[in-house]
Amino acid sequence: MAKQASAGPTVAWWVPLQKRWLLAILLMLSVSTVFAFFIRAAFYSCDRHFEVHRNVVATTGALPVESLPSPLGFMKSKLVLLVSHELSLTGGPLLLMELAFLLRSVGAEVYWVTVQKPAGTDEVIYNLEQKMLVHGVQVMYAKGKEAVGTALKADIVVLNTAVAGKWLDGVLKENIPHVLPKGLWWIHEMRGHYFKLDYVKHLPFVAGAMIDSHVTAEYWKNRTQERLRIKMPETYVVHLGNSKELMEVAEDGVAKRVLREHIRQSLGVRDEDILFAVINSVSRGKGQHLFLRAFYESLQLIQAKKVQVPLMHAVIVGSDMAAQTKFETELRNYVIQKRIQDRVHFVNKTLTVAPYLAAIDVLVQNSQARGECFGRITIEAMAFQLPVLGTVAGGTTEIVVNGTTGLLHTVGKEGVTPLAKNIVKLATHVERRLTMGKKGYERVKQMFLEHHMAHRIAAVLKDVLRKSRRHPHTS
């Protein structure tokens, strides 16, 4: 049952204050892979914001990071064409939109085309395009003459994800050789079905490839050589960073406390209960089925050892209640079979993951096979001072320091028992859990902020511009 709010004289003033905090926080939440701009679009008419006051100049004499010149300042007046394979609330398109807004903030001229769009009206696409237009990003039809002309005039053309490569043959055709020398291919994929020559046959001839982790970059290098017999261009690894909005929420104690109480009440769990959560789209590749097996096994271990711990809960954020997929049905049937319905909570896919980061105690990043290309939810959780239990795969190994900011386990069925044991470790050692969370936050502050990412991208764009000057642009 949900914890009952205590009665008393404080309720009268706290309830309206709590509502004001929740409304203000939800207006500016930054969510996994940068959903904040979409949320703001939905609530734009309210136009209410809360501020985190920081007297940085007064206390340190230094300008805050937000006041420093942008490392992307050299892109002022440059023309950039961004080509996205789709426009959706997923990592790749949202990251490209974030880059679009960063470039617009320094005065770059930014154009956007979406390769694959549904025939009818799509509310998500409409809202995202409107948000881009508000920011001054010019949205064009992907297959028109205007797109070709813009590609020829552009200083840089960014192709987002491997699938966007089909746009080259389908639209640019005989103009491809004029565009490739100023092309930057931003790759986020780890799955094998993207390694098709139809998608990436032009990859060796662009100015460079930008990939989110060293593990993924090495995988692409080896796979393209072995399977496709082509060479990667110069490859730049660019780790992602948390937005300023998310960091403001993560660093505001009152905001986190209000969100924690609100979400825990909605789940029907107490403040002292321990919540382990997977926050990802529900699919076999994200490993929710193995997480539930490990969670059940951890309950058995605690019972066998007769360890006294608060009630433990598993939270799966990212379900699709409407779809009723076979995999999701399998997850729910397992919960019923093991009679742990009171310990497992399914949350429908949501635009706002920050409230859940405030409410849980441990993030489980259980992506399988080759893991995540990067896994932005991991650095978002670390910003909220959460330890991470992750698989030894993909970008997670470059984010989580095993034994310091979290604990890693193997992928597949072999990883179920190690994950179960790690769940028990963090459930039974509060200080270890809190220390790991603090270390994770410190790592984020050192490496995974928006300005870190902006500096890394700036270095790449400078190099691409330098290379493109060797080839005269054809208009």
Side-chain angles (χ1 to χ4, degrees), residues 187-208:
I187 294 172
H188 314 284
E189 295 91 356
M190 284 284 273
R191 287 175 288 178
H193 66 264
Y194 289 104
F195 292 92
K196 293 182 179 179
L197 204 56
D198 283 349
Y199 292 155
V200 297
K201 63 184 178 183
H202 299 295
L203 184 56
F205 309 106
V206 295

Side-chain angles (χ1 to χ4, degrees), residues 157-200:
V157 176
V158 181
L159 298 168
N160 200 41
T161 75
V163 182
K166 297 203 77 173
W167 177 81
L168 295 170
D169 288 315
V171 177
L172 292 188
K173 299 177 182 177
E174 67 273 8
N175 293 305
I176 291 174
H178 303 301
V179 174
L180 292 181
K182 55 187 177 182
L184 174 64
W185 214 313
W186 199 357
I187 294 172
H188 314 284
E189 295 91 356
M190 284 284 273
R191 287 175 288 178
H193 66 264
Y194 289 104
F195 292 92
K196 293 182 179 179
L197 204 56
D198 283 349
Y199 292 155
V200 297

Side-chain angles (χ1 to χ4, degrees), residues 18 104 119 189 261 388 410 439:
Q18 185 183 54
R104 283 295 303 140
E189 295 91 356
E261 181 180 340
V388 178
T410 55
K439 293 290 185 181

Side-chain angles (χ1 to χ4, degrees), residues 205-227:
F205 309 106
V206 295
M210 188 162 69
I211 300 183
D212 303 336
S213 66
H214 294 281
V215 173
T216 309
E218 188 65 22
Y219 178 68
W220 269 83
K221 176 185 174 182
N222 295 334
R223 188 79 180 235
T224 49
Q225 287 179 348
E226 294 168 4
R227 297 292 182 92

Side-chain angles (χ1 to χ4, degrees), residues 228-389:
L228 305 179
R229 305 301 179 191
I230 63 174
K231 289 185 65 175
M232 289 289 289
E234 184 168 0
T235 302
Y236 309 89
V237 173
V238 173
H239 286 151
L240 308 181
N242 285 330
S243 70
K244 297 170 187 174
E245 290 88 356
L246 181 127
M247 293 305 299
E248 286 180 346
V249 178
E251 293 173 340
D252 189 285
V254 176
K256 287 200 297 183
R257 188 164 63 250
V258 171
L259 289 172
R260 179 183 175 89
E261 181 180 340
H262 174 72
I263 294 299
R264 284 183 170 241
Q265 284 182 351
S266 71
L267 295 175
V269 301
R270 302 171 302 178
D271 184 61
E272 60 268 27
D273 292 349
I274 305 174
L275 272 60
F276 295 81
V278 171
I279 303 178
N280 257 321
S281 57
V282 172
S283 67
R284 199 168 296 278
K286 302 299 183 181
Q288 286 92 350
H289 59 309
L290 300 175
F291 165 58
L292 287 179
R293 286 178 56 181
F295 179 73
Y296 176 73
E297 190 172 317
S298 71
L299 296 178
Q300 300 297 105
L301 287 171
I302 286 174
Q303 185 177 10
K305 293 180 178 180
K306 298 181 180 179
V307 180
Q308 295 297 316
V309 296
L311 284 179
M312 291 163 46
H313 297 261
V315 183
I316 294 178
V317 180
S319 294
D320 191 341
M321 305 299 190
Q324 296 290 325
T325 64
K326 180 181 178 181
F327 180 66
E328 182 133 3
T329 302
E330 177 186 321
L331 296 180
R332 294 171 185 272
N333 287 343
Y334 178 83
V335 170
I336 294 170
Q337 176 194 344
K338 297 300 182 182
R339 298 181 180 179
I340 51 175
Q341 299 97 313
D342 60 329
R343 299 292 193 97
V344 179
H345 310 269
F346 292 90
V347 177
N348 204 27
K349 55 185 179 181
T350 175
L351 301 179
T352 54
V353 299
Y356 293 94
L357 293 175
I360 67 175
D361 299 289
V362 179
L363 178 81
V364 180
Q365 178 60 282
N366 206 40
S367 293
Q368 297 298 302
R370 288 176 289 275
E372 295 285 334
C373 180
F374 182 78
R376 198 168 193 177
I377 188 65
T378 306
I379 59 172
E380 291 176 335
M382 289 161 64
F384 278 78
Q385 301 192 32
L386 299 176
V388 178
L389 299 180

Side-chain angles (χ1 to χ4, degrees), residues 433-451:
R433 193 167 72 234
L434 295 176
T435 300
M436 283 183 168
K438 290 176 183 176
K439 293 290 185 181
Y441 169 77
E442 291 169 4
R443 185 164 169 79
V444 164
K445 295 288 281 186
Q446 292 170 359
M447 299 179 61
F448 301 120
L449 297 178
E450 184 180 275
H451 74 271

